[in-house]
Amino acid sequence: MASEYPTWSVLAANMIACTHNFTRFTNWRKFACYVGTAPFEHQSGTGIKGKTRVSSLSNRQIKKLSHLVAICACAYNPELKSYYKRRVSEKIK
């Protein structure tokens, strides 16, 4: 599958290099925080204020590549394209 879409192989190579073959993290939560996909609530005191955010310590290069791969997948993979359109239409309602 990676040979069909070159952006996936670039992301895979970067992930393997940055995570030391996925041995750098002990659990998936730390990995998700490093990649920049784990949301954190913005809260102060007892109230939750504002939108959720991601860690500022995340690897921005991997986050950008992940976003690019997701956009390419939605554009060229018919199954993901229909899933994306369905989710967007649910959000609008």
Side-chain angles (χ1 to χ4, degrees), residues 10-35:
V10 172
L11 175 65
N14 275 302
M15 285 258 203
I16 290 169
C18 291
T19 61
H20 304 287
N21 203 20
F22 296 98
T23 58
R24 185 174 176 184
F25 304 102
T26 56
N27 63 28
W28 63 271
R29 287 184 175 99
K30 291 180 181 180
F31 175 72
C33 186
Y34 176 75
V35 174

Side-chain angles (χ1 to χ4, degrees), residues 4-66:
E4 295 175 22
Y5 305 103
T7 54
W8 293 3
S9 57
V10 172
L11 175 65
N14 275 302
M15 285 258 203
I16 290 169
C18 291
T19 61
H20 304 287
N21 203 20
F22 296 98
T23 58
R24 185 174 176 184
F25 304 102
T26 56
N27 63 28
W28 63 271
R29 287 184 175 99
K30 291 180 181 180
F31 175 72
C33 186
Y34 176 75
V35 174
T37 57
F40 294 98
E41 291 180 348
H42 181 68
Q43 58 184 345
S44 175
T46 59
I48 298 173
K49 300 180 183 185
K51 294 170 38 175
T52 57
R53 300 176 183 185
V54 294
S55 174
S56 60
L57 301 175
S58 64
N59 187 325
R60 293 178 193 269
Q61 181 181 8
I62 289 182
K63 188 172 179 182
K64 286 177 189 177
L65 283 172
S66 299

